[in-house]
Amino acid sequence: MDFIDIVERSYTGEKVAKEDWDIDYVALAIKDILDDYDLDYENGDVMAYDEDMLRRFYAAGRQLAIESGIYNQNTGRIIKLTEDEIDEAAANQKKTMTVGRGADAFTFYARKAEDERRPGVVAGNPGCPMDVPTFRQTVESWAKEPSIDMVTCGSIVDVDGHTVRCGDASEVYALKAEMKALNETCAKVGRPYIGRLAAESSVSQIGDLTAFGSGMRAGDAHLVAINNELIMTTDNLIRAAMSEDTGVLNASLACVMVGGMAGNAAGAAVCMIASMLLANVVCKADYHLCHPIHLRYIATSARECMWLQSVVCQAFSLCAPNIIICDIYPKSGAGTKELLYEVAANSIAITVSGGHLEGCGSCDGIKPNCSGLECRMMGEVGKACAGQHITREKGEVIIKALLPKYEGILGDKNEGLPFKEVYDTETMEPLPFWQGMYDEVKEDLKALGLNIN
């Protein structure tokens, strides 16, 4: 498909008011489709199994994508795609994808439920607001972890004491600082060519363009987002177009709200599937990031969000295999055992359902209370699940044993501690109390049958 033709539909498509889009094309449309396909969420579930149900979820998401299309909020018009266009794009999605270069290269693949091949692991606290020193320290803490295959990062919001503003020269300086810090830090830990999901400090397309001129390279990736719900913007269409012929990968991102306009977890799963099918075209997606947001708890470690990730990964693996990387955004911050339990539970749900792992957006990603240690937990849990051939049934048993250890804090802040209070910033190793918590949680996991290193 000619992408410029897709963009042109932003100006020729049906004109719709934003409020009408939200109600008629999202909320009511999803409600009707759930009824048509007899789909719902059983309260308390954390894992999906039934193949017929999973195929119905894919069909429901496909119907929503065909019937509603996607709304360009800047032009107030609908970009409609035909049934053939949606199916062709889904069939042609990448089944393998290499990030990074040389000795640091890693190949992601389209996984399936209970896949015995380990998931790829992308480490970082994407989008978390940081100053430059904290940015460098946190990236170093996870880039040095052997179980990590790709790195991402927080967002630089302060450059030399100046606040970074959207569409401003300060955004250019933030992106230059981000790319410089990523390049130097990854080289410092001996991984100069590791793939990076970068341009996280970019608020507008200006920042993205700066990143492309400041060290973004083939095998790296940047975000091309779909806004809530089923909404595209002109600046994200620009992001999608700018990677052409560069080797830089487009990571589509849909942060569908569980309990929002799409309804409960079942409606949100339908909306997420539709978002990804549309993103194949409007985001020129090379791979997808699956990031459900719980309306009440935010955290992806909530039951409904883990179930949604399980449904989405399996629905695509059965009907239109592609590469899906699921975000892990726990409620808790570094220096709390709850964080490690959240990460372990969420990592199990994703791995046994056929997804790859990205995180951790510790402390809901709102404060830089994060470290490489929870990224280590994510990577080691994923490797153990695949290596031990943990089934979905066994995974669910472990998750339900972990839930009582953290579920009570999902409605609280539990922000934990900033990086410098959980890591020795000279040695870049966890402080003894933080390492001790990790070791205790590791023993708990082993007692439940998961032998992590």
Side-chain angles (χ1 to χ4, degrees):
M1 282 171 276
D2 188 343
F3 189 65
I4 197 69
D5 173 63
I6 303 301
V7 173
E8 185 64 21
R9 297 179 201 184
S10 294
Y11 302 93
T12 60
E14 179 187 357
K15 187 119 178 126
V16 174
K18 171 65 165 53
E19 312 82 70
D20 293 336
W21 172 261
D22 290 341
I23 296 171
D24 296 334
Y25 291 83
V26 178
L28 294 179
I30 291 174
K31 183 179 182 298
D32 289 343
I33 286 172
L34 288 172
D35 290 339
D36 291 344
Y37 288 89
D38 189 24
L39 295 170
D40 203 356
Y41 171 69
E42 188 72 30
N43 285 337
D45 280 356
V46 296
M47 195 73 64
Y49 303 97
D50 182 72
E51 183 173 322
D52 176 68
M53 180 194 74
L54 293 164
R55 290 184 181 278
R56 281 186 282 123
F57 264 107
Y58 181 85
R62 177 179 176 274
Q63 181 175 330
L64 178 63
I66 293 167
E67 291 184 356
S68 290
I70 193 163
Y71 184 67
N72 185 325
Q73 190 166 357
N74 295 104
T75 64
R77 294 183 182 272
I78 300 173
I79 301 173
K80 290 296 292 280
L81 302 176
T82 68
E83 185 173 350
D84 287 343
E85 287 171 335
I86 288 170
D87 289 344
E88 178 188 346
N92 288 321
Q93 281 305 104
K94 286 181 169 66
K95 308 301 184 289
T96 62
M97 176 187 75
T98 299
V99 300
R101 296 181 295 168
D104 295 325
F106 178 81
T107 299
F108 287 86
Y109 49 87
R111 297 184 78 240
K112 59 186 179 181
E114 300 173 18
D115 205 312
E116 296 179 4
R117 299 169 296 176
R118 76 170 181 87
V121 182
V122 186
N125 195 355
C128 179
M130 296 181 179
D131 57 24
V132 175
T134 304
F135 181 98
R136 286 179 175 270
Q137 291 168 348
T138 53
V139 169
E140 182 175 349
S141 76
W142 49 67
K144 68 197 287 288
E145 291 290 334
S147 62
I148 303 310
D149 306 303
M150 186 180 189
V151 296
T152 184
C153 53
S155 297
I156 294 173
V157 296
D158 180 284
V159 178
D160 297 331
H162 298 282
T163 299
V164 177
R165 296 180 173 86
C166 175
D168 183 75
S170 59
E171 188 178 346
V172 173
Y173 283 101
L175 267 297
K176 288 182 176 180
E178 176 184 321
M179 297 310 300
K180 183 173 188 291
L182 277 173
N183 289 335
E184 292 177 351
T185 304
C186 292
K188 179 181 177 181
V189 300
R191 309 181 79 178
Y193 302 119
I194 191 171
R196 291 90 52 87
L197 173 56
E200 290 287 352
S201 307
S202 172
V203 183
S204 73
Q205 69 271 30
I206 290 172
D208 251 49
L209 287 165
T210 302
F212 273 71
S214 302
M216 190 84 86
R217 61 197 180 211
D220 289 339
H222 71 143
L223 294 175
V224 184
I226 287 180
N227 296 346
N228 304 101
E229 303 289 357
L230 301 178
I231 290 174
M232 198 61 178
T233 58
T234 298
D235 68 309
N236 277 312
L237 290 169
I238 293 170
R239 284 184 171 95
M242 71 173 67
S243 64
E244 280 188 7
D245 304 318
T246 66
V248 173
L249 302 162
N250 288 345
S252 90
L253 171 65
C255 298
V256 175
M257 302 293 293
V258 177
M261 287 181 293
N264 69 3
V270 169
C271 190
M272 183 69 78
I273 291 167
S275 297
M276 291 181 177
L277 288 170
L278 292 162
N280 289 338
V281 180
V282 299
C283 300
K284 294 176 65 68
D286 293 290
Y287 70 98
H288 299 291
L289 292 170
C290 178
H291 187 151
I293 297 176
H294 195 287
L295 189 65
R296 179 180 177 189
Y297 300 132
I298 310 299
T300 60
S301 54
R303 292 173 187 248
E304 296 90 340
C305 292
M306 290 190 287
W307 179 85
L308 182 151
Q309 290 175 326
S310 180
V311 167
V312 171
C313 289
Q314 293 183 77
F316 273 100
S317 72
L318 289 168
C319 302
N322 66 88
I323 296 163
I324 297 176
I325 303 177
C326 291
D327 278 345
I328 297 178
Y329 264 62
K331 173 62 59 177
S332 306
T336 68
K337 287 180 76 173
E338 289 88 356
L339 170 60
L340 300 174
Y341 289 127
E342 288 185 73
V343 170
N346 212 162
S347 299
I348 293 168
I350 294 164
T351 301
V352 302
S353 298
H356 297 276
L357 303 166
E358 177 176 296
C360 304
S362 310
C363 189
D364 282 336
I366 59 173
K367 288 188 176 181
N369 297 1
C370 55
S371 75
L373 195 60
E374 60 266 29
C375 298
R376 181 190 303 174
M377 176 65 73
M378 175 179 65
E380 293 298 338
V381 167
K383 182 171 67 175
C385 284
Q388 291 176 233
H389 309 156
I390 298 293
T391 64
R392 285 166 291 175
E393 289 82 0
K394 175 62 175 175
E396 183 173 40
V397 169
I398 298 173
I399 291 168
K400 287 189 173 178
L402 296 175
L403 281 167
K405 298 179 182 297
Y406 73 80
E407 207 167 20
I409 58 86
L410 289 179
D412 301 325
K413 288 188 175 180
N414 207 39
E415 292 180 345
L417 300 168
F419 179 79
K420 64 183 179 181
E421 294 183 30
V422 296
Y423 261 61
D424 183 322
T425 56
E426 295 296 324
T427 65
M428 290 312 243
E429 294 294 337
L431 291 174
F433 86 94
W434 187 212
Q435 181 65 54
M437 287 184 180
Y438 182 92
D439 294 339
E440 290 172 15
V441 172
K442 184 167 68 172
E443 291 305 312
D444 288 343
L445 291 170
K446 286 181 178 179
L448 293 169
L450 190 67
N451 295 318
I452 75 167
N453 292 333

